[in-house]
Amino acid sequence: MSTLELSLPFLLLLLGLPGHCGAERRREGADEAGSAWGWPGLQRLRERLSTAGAHSWRYWALLSCQMWPDDCEEDGQAAASRLGQTLTQWGQRSLDILTTWYCSFQDCCNGGDCRISNNFSALESDLSVRLHGQHLARELVFRAVKGYLEMPQPHKALALSFHGWSGTGKNFVARMVAENLYRDGLKSDCVKMFIAVFHFPHPKYVDLYKEQLVDQIQGMQQHCSQSLLIFDEAEKLHPELLELLGQHLERQATEDHRTKFARSIFLFLSLLSFSNLGGSVINEAVLKLLQAGWAREDITVEHLEPHLQAGIMESTESGLGHSRLVKENLIDFFVPFLPLEYRHVRLCVRDAFLGQELPYSEEVLDEVAKMMTYVPKEEQLFSSQGCKSISQRINYFLP
Ligand SMILES: *[C@@H]1O[C@H](CO)[C@@H](O)[C@H](O)[C@H]1NC(C)=O
């Protein structure tokens, strides 16, 4: 029907599309950094379209009667009413089409921003099923992340500092957080992982790195209502970068009453295990507790935190302890990752076989787990590489 074909340009004219949409979005991005980019604009557009559909059909009917008198032979009122119904139906359908089309390249869906999934049950399940031997990290990370994201109006970013030996699961947990909070995980626009020696390798370029880092953080916070920043090898970050991050975490805490606040989670991953004195503070503390007869699962954060803080402050290899991040309590939680024992490594081996859908036997699990080096020399209690490179190691045992 020709009237319907003509109604699209008519409605678009009425609403001033598409310039209206673009202008709206730019304003949105500028002063409402916290909102899902573009979504409120679309909501308003939808409302206006609905209003237009409901109120303008009479004028539309008159107009069409003038243009196509043949359609207007019968009672004008009935025709207008029928046309009104059609137009309203058409309006509804076209709204849905428009929404789908708009969302195919914007990042919204019915719940808001599609890029953000915040699936807490999946995060909880991943942390308890896929992560082995880390009862403290499991609890702390889940509670901190969920608590922060469910807070109605957080006043600062959430900053967590992960500490532990290599292969104990710091990266693994950071990835789990990314995957369960964001549709595209680490690839999301709202997630960025920095690896100190890779992204900021040369001290002489630190000014450039600072500029880039500020741009990246601000860009993300403008376009994402919730961003996740992961700093791997945080113990190797240049002191000036740490200072900058400190300023950033601090500034958000004080400026939040003026600008709409975008949630951000900062994860700092540090090895901090081989201090100049040798050995890891966490490992030493855990070893002492185990030797004193404690069950691993009964070890609490309170047991480890003083050792951990002291270790971080005293470490001469890293600027972390002397940065304002630590000194001014900008880190919300220090998360200890415990050294892994033989039974945990065995579970990682099993997961590696399951993950590649390969058959395995109990003997093979033992064989692979035995390939790791266990320390200290006498007790042979902790795997020195944690669960690192297990998936490569199982290749030796494939049929
Ligand atoms: C959360 O993740 C689980 C497991 O991946 C999935 O089955 C469930 O549908 C997800 N829930 C939501 C609300 O997306």
Side-chain angles (χ1 to χ4, degrees):
M1 187 170 157
S2 51
T3 51
L4 288 188
E5 279 156 27
L6 253 144
S7 52
L8 178 63
F10 171 73
L11 273 177
L12 293 186
L13 272 175
L14 190 73
L15 292 159
L17 272 174
H20 161 83
C21 199
E24 194 89 345
R25 273 202 342 246
R26 271 193 301 281
R27 263 211 314 285
E28 215 64 61
D31 59 24
E32 225 182 306
S35 67
W37 196 64
W39 177 248
L42 182 69
Q43 290 287 55
R44 272 198 290 283
L45 176 62
R46 286 192 67 133
E47 280 159 23
R48 289 174 74 155
L49 267 172
S50 302
T51 316
H55 292 298
S56 60
W57 61 266
R58 274 174 191 280
Y59 302 104
W60 178 240
L62 281 172
L63 179 72
S64 71
C65 276
Q66 282 179 355
M67 292 180 76
W68 304 282
D70 287 354
D71 287 349
C72 274
E73 272 164 13
E74 32 181 327
D75 173 60
Q77 199 62 26
S81 153
R82 218 182 41 231
L83 191 58
Q85 268 174 12
T86 318
L87 191 58
T88 311
Q89 279 166 11
W90 176 83
Q92 198 49 54
R93 246 198 343 252
S94 66
L95 275 183
D96 294 339
I97 294 167
L98 189 67
T99 305
T100 313
W101 164 77
Y102 185 89
C103 287
S104 62
F105 59 92
Q106 291 299 317
D107 294 301
C108 55
C109 39
N110 287 336
D113 190 335
C114 273
R115 298 170 300 180
I116 298 168
S117 53
N118 290 357
N119 190 336
F120 295 124
S121 55
L123 177 62
E124 187 171 33
S125 143
D126 270 358
L127 285 169
S128 50
V129 176
R130 295 170 60 205
L131 179 70
H132 302 301
Q134 303 298 355
H135 66 290
L136 296 177
R138 185 179 72 206
E139 272 296 304
L140 265 174
V141 171
F142 182 68
R143 282 218 314 266
V145 168
K146 183 165 184 276
Y148 176 73
L149 294 177
E150 286 180 348
M151 222 180 267
Q153 279 183 316
H155 294 288
K156 72 182 282 291
L158 174 71
L160 304 182
S161 194
F162 293 3
H163 299 269
W165 236 345
S166 76
T168 50
K170 301 182 298 294
N171 259 285
F172 195 41
V173 169
R175 210 174 329 132
M176 279 180 194
V177 171
E179 280 164 6
N180 291 306
L181 300 188
Y182 298 89
R183 182 192 56 195
D184 302 324
L186 285 176
K187 293 200 187 88
S188 174
D189 305 337
C190 302
V191 177
K192 180 82 188 150
M193 184 181 230
F194 299 95
I195 303 168
V197 293
F198 180 73
H199 289 93
F200 318 113
H202 304 295
K204 64 177 172 183
Y205 295 133
V206 70
D207 288 333
L208 179 66
Y209 299 151
K210 276 158 72 180
E211 251 172 62
Q212 290 171 343
L213 189 56
V214 168
D215 281 353
Q216 296 230 26
I217 296 178
Q218 286 179 346
M220 272 171 83
Q221 289 181 340
Q222 246 167 42
H223 298 307
C224 299
S225 57
Q226 175 191 312
S227 41
L228 172 67
L229 294 110
I230 303 166
F231 294 87
D232 196 7
E233 306 183 358
E235 79 278 6
K236 297 198 184 100
L237 283 173
H238 192 285
E240 289 187 34
L241 291 173
L242 288 170
E243 174 68 21
L244 180 96
L245 290 168
Q247 281 169 9
H248 200 81
L249 290 175
E250 199 176 46
R251 193 170 59 228
Q252 294 195 323
T254 54
E255 269 184 8
D256 117 76
H257 58 283
R258 264 177 283 147
T259 52
K260 198 160 183 213
F261 188 75
R263 284 171 215 262
S264 2
I265 300 177
F266 286 74
L267 303 181
F268 298 95
L269 281 45
S270 346
L271 215 51
L272 272 193
S273 51
F274 303 101
S275 72
N276 286 348
L277 301 171
S280 142
V281 281
I282 297 175
N283 296 6
E284 280 167 16
V286 172
L287 184 62
K288 281 207 185 96
L289 287 164
L290 293 180
Q291 285 171 337
W294 286 83
R296 181 187 176 95
E297 284 71 25
D298 291 336
I299 296 175
T300 64
V301 177
E302 287 73 32
H303 283 123
L304 301 178
E305 199 156 29
H307 299 282
L308 188 53
Q309 295 249 15
I312 294 165
M313 298 294 271
E314 281 161 21
S315 167
T316 48
E317 284 171 21
S318 160
L320 198 60
H322 305 286
S323 71
R324 66 207 285 175
L325 286 181
V326 171
K327 286 199 167 154
E328 297 178 15
N329 294 318
L330 297 171
I331 303 280
D332 297 285
F333 296 100
F334 290 93
V335 184
F337 282 73
L338 309 187
L340 295 179
E341 299 172 33
Y342 181 83
R343 57 192 163 119
H344 307 122
V345 175
R346 214 170 167 279
L347 290 172
C348 294
V349 179
R350 184 206 58 188
D351 288 356
F353 276 105
L354 289 175
Q356 297 183 30
E357 294 180 357
L358 295 166
Y360 63 88
S361 65
E362 299 300 314
E363 292 74 38
V364 167
L365 298 190
D366 281 321
E367 273 189 75
V368 182
K370 277 182 192 147
M371 287 170 73
M372 308 303 266
T373 316
Y374 292 86
V375 292
K377 257 198 160 50
E378 311 84 62
E379 290 89 350
Q380 305 250 319
L381 204 49
F382 305 137
S383 160
S384 62
Q385 306 101 318
C387 276
K388 214 171 190 125
S389 344
I390 294 274
S391 51
Q392 285 93 300
R393 281 166 206 267
I394 67 172
N395 290 332
Y396 294 114
F397 293 88
L398 299 184

